[in-house]
Amino acid sequence: QKEVEQNSGPLSVPEGAIASLNCTYSDRGSQSFFWYRQYSGKSPELIMFIYSNGDKEDGRFTAQLNKASQYVSLLIRDSQPSDSATYLCAVNPYNDYKLSFGAGTTVTVRA
Amino acid sequence: KAGVTQTPRYLIKTRGQQVTLSCSPISGHRSVSWYQQTPGQGLQFLFEYFSETQRNKGNFPGRFSGRQFSNSRSEMNVSTLELGDSALYLCASSGGTNEKLFFGSGTQLSVL
């Protein structure tokens, strides 16, 4: 079983729509959860982090965490062409000095 | 505040050679991690250093090694390069355990 799994892509959404990205993780003791955005040819950029159950909103992005279900999600509202990128879910397993990354979901926003 | 700096940006080597990559973390960050990214395997964890101590190591052969200096700068070394080592090598720094990880621009290594 992979440590972090993301819903398979690619995901294509029209401009202005909501893009929904999902991620599950295997280590129940995981402490912190991150979403990174990676444009083609660039390095990952941190866009959201969440530590507690519930929702966290930052601009057009909302991260949702459900530790009981071992599930993290990212919603992108009012999607823009500039949101077209690969989104990586990352989890910090308990007492482990690393981040485990999912394979990524590629999002394309159609103008 | 300056970000994470990695050098060189691009590197071309031949099989059997060795290579050293350098990383300077964000000022004040004492944790440095290294990742390998390939299209097929995604982001794979190599190792993490904190205050010159390796705290965790990924599932890579012993040809991959690293170290951290007292000023938190880090280097990773790959000896006896293989074609499969061609990848983007990313360095990231953080302020501590469970803290946010910030990536450098990476070193694109091509092994011919």
Side-chain angles (χ1 to χ4, degrees):
Chain A
Q1 182 186 8
K2 290 185 178 179
E3 291 179 290
V4 181
E5 299 207 47
Q6 295 185 237
N7 52 325
S8 58
L11 180 64
S12 180
V13 298
E15 186 173 357
I18 295 175
S20 177
L21 308 172
N22 302 317
C23 172
T24 57
Y25 58 95
S26 60
D27 187 334
R28 186 168 287 278
S30 296
Q31 303 283 314
S32 43
F33 308 85
F34 307 88
W35 283 97
Y36 286 83
R37 176 177 63 198
Q38 187 172 26
Y39 292 115
S40 181
K42 300 293 186 182
S43 61
E45 171 194 10
L46 179 67
I47 56 172
M48 288 291 287
F49 59 94
I50 187 166
Y51 301 137
S52 305
N53 278 331
D55 295 0
K56 179 180 179 182
E57 187 174 314
D58 184 0
R60 296 185 295 108
F61 297 101
T62 299
Q64 299 173 315
L65 173 62
N66 183 326
K67 289 186 177 180
S69 300
Q70 295 173 242
Y71 175 90
V72 193
S73 68
L74 179 71
L75 298 177
I76 307 173
R77 293 184 304 280
D78 188 23
S79 295
Q80 301 297 309
S82 60
D83 295 326
S84 297
T86 296
Y87 290 81
L88 299 162
C89 173
V91 175
N92 180 222
Y94 176 73
N95 210 27
D96 203 0
Y97 305 109
K98 72 173 186 183
L99 283 187
S100 295
F101 284 82
T105 301
T106 299
V107 174
T108 301
V109 180
R110 309 187 304 271
Chain B
K1 217 179 208 184
V4 179
T5 304
Q6 288 188 249
T7 57
R9 185 70 180 89
Y10 300 95
L11 210 46
I12 299 175
K13 293 286 187 179
T14 56
R15 280 182 300 173
Q17 288 187 310
Q18 76 164 15
V19 66
T20 299
L21 312 181
S22 181
C23 172
S24 293
I26 292 171
S27 178
H29 283 188
R30 294 166 64 188
S31 171
V32 173
S33 301
W34 289 88
Y35 288 83
Q36 181 196 67
Q37 188 174 35
T38 58
Q41 297 297 316
L43 268 163
Q44 300 291 313
F45 172 75
L46 282 157
F47 23 66
E48 190 265 0
Y49 289 89
F50 184 87
S51 293
E52 302 179 68
T53 299
Q54 185 183 90
R55 298 194 297 185
N56 200 354
K57 188 179 191 305
N59 295 324
F60 279 83
R63 301 184 297 106
F64 291 82
S65 63
R67 59 178 176 169
Q68 187 181 34
F69 303 97
S70 58
N71 62 357
S72 294
R73 191 178 69 85
S74 178
E75 288 181 348
M76 68 161 282
N77 183 277
V78 188
S79 62
T80 320
L81 284 166
E82 300 178 359
L83 295 179
D85 296 334
S86 295
L88 178 65
Y89 289 87
L90 291 161
C91 169
S93 75
S94 76
T97 307
N98 293 332
E99 291 295 317
K100 300 178 282 291
L101 211 58
F102 296 94
F103 284 89
S105 299
T107 294
Q108 184 67 54
L109 172 64
S110 297
V111 182
L112 306 178

